[in-house]
Amino acid sequence: MTELRWGILSTATVARQKVIPGIARAPRCRIVAIASRDEALARRVAAGAGIPRAYGSYEALLADPEVDAVYIPLPNHLHAEWAIAAANAGKHVLCEKPLALTAADAERMIAAAEAARVRLMEAFMYRLHPSWVATRELIASGRIGRLVAIQSWFSYFNDDAANIRNVAAFGGGALYDIGCYCVNLSRMLFGEEPTRVDASIQRDPVSDVDTLTSGVLEFPAGVATFTCSTRAEDDQRVHIYGSDGRISIEIPFNIPPDRPTHVFVTSGGDPPVNPATERLTFETADPYSVEAAAFASAVLDGGQVPVPPADAVSNLRVIERLFEAGARQSPSPG
């Protein structure tokens, strides 16, 4: 096999606008099919994206012998069901984050993939972008001294009650949708799991999804704090603090695929009045193309995926602890 033939399991907005174009530009990748429960919609999306086959059911796509791997951007509560179905059909799986709604479900997905001898990876596309690769290298090199703290923020505004991100039964809410990035990057940079977890969670009084969640993750080497919200201005920032400097990442998560990106490294000078700050510029790189290419290389070359699925289980365990901590902090009714 010289190229990975992809099927897209849903016509979700993120697939249409970001992931399909990214996969199409990735080396050794070709999209051959897309499926939707609305076959007419699948055909329209396929025609617009130059995808040769469209199916009116997910089962039909999984039965296609010319599909090697699937990308799953379905609502969160459907990830486990269809990733397991895809694995059972012999397809490699790149599944949107969070991999599942519980660590137990994620473990079932891993077991299915291992039994079928297919690759499974959670689609945290930001991790493989050159700006994040460089950030990890800067920390490892000691450029900012010993890593002691991480602060992250991720927010957007969405109060549409009909949107899946505001439906609790579908795994909606800020922590599942965007807070998972903050948890993921904190664990990635510290290279270990938090020993203590605390949280403050505000919920929509009607839908009960969390709309503003702040977390504290205490690691053996330091602490990570974050806030995520679906009722605030669109913004995202990451600040990484060391004993001798700091790193600020301009657009850490939704990295633009069509322009250079920047990371700011501060070390020395006369802080806080006149710190010495270097702006590092990274050439344009589509994070979805980078992710698809890395996944294809693992499949085609017989290697391991760059982020093992066990990492998704660990991320979900922290998310579960955050929800538990937030519930303990909530005032009693009445």
Side-chain angles (χ1 to χ4, degrees), residues 8-23 31 34 45 71-76 79 94-97 123 125 164-165 177 181 254 286 288 291:
I8 311 299
L9 219 61
S10 171
T11 54
T13 301
V14 67
R16 298 196 312 270
Q17 296 182 355
K18 297 182 178 181
V19 184
I20 289 174
I23 293 176
I31 303 174
I34 188 168
V45 174
Y71 164 68
I72 300 178
L74 291 164
N76 294 339
H79 288 180
L94 177 65
C95 183
E96 265 305 332
K97 50 74 207 165
M125 74 297 181
I164 60 171
R165 290 172 177 81
D177 190 38
Y181 284 90
N254 298 130
D286 184 335
Y288 295 99
E291 176 182 64

Side-chain angles (χ1 to χ4, degrees), residues 172-192:
L175 183 53
Y176 273 137
D177 190 38
I178 51 180
C180 61
Y181 284 90
C182 302
V183 174
N184 188 266
L185 78 90
S186 301
R187 296 176 45 257
M188 176 180 71
L189 296 183
F190 275 116
E192 52 195 359

Side-chain angles (χ1 to χ4, degrees), residues 215-230:
V216 179
L217 310 179
E218 187 175 294
F219 294 85
V223 66
T225 57
F226 73 88
T227 295
C228 59
S229 178
T230 56

Side-chain angles (χ1 to χ4, degrees), residues 284-317:
T284 301
D286 184 335
Y288 295 99
S289 294
V290 175
E291 176 182 64
F295 188 84
S297 293
V299 173
L300 298 174
D301 300 333
Q304 298 300 312
V305 293
V307 184
D311 186 80
V313 175
S314 297
N315 218 57
L316 282 163
R317 285 179 178 146

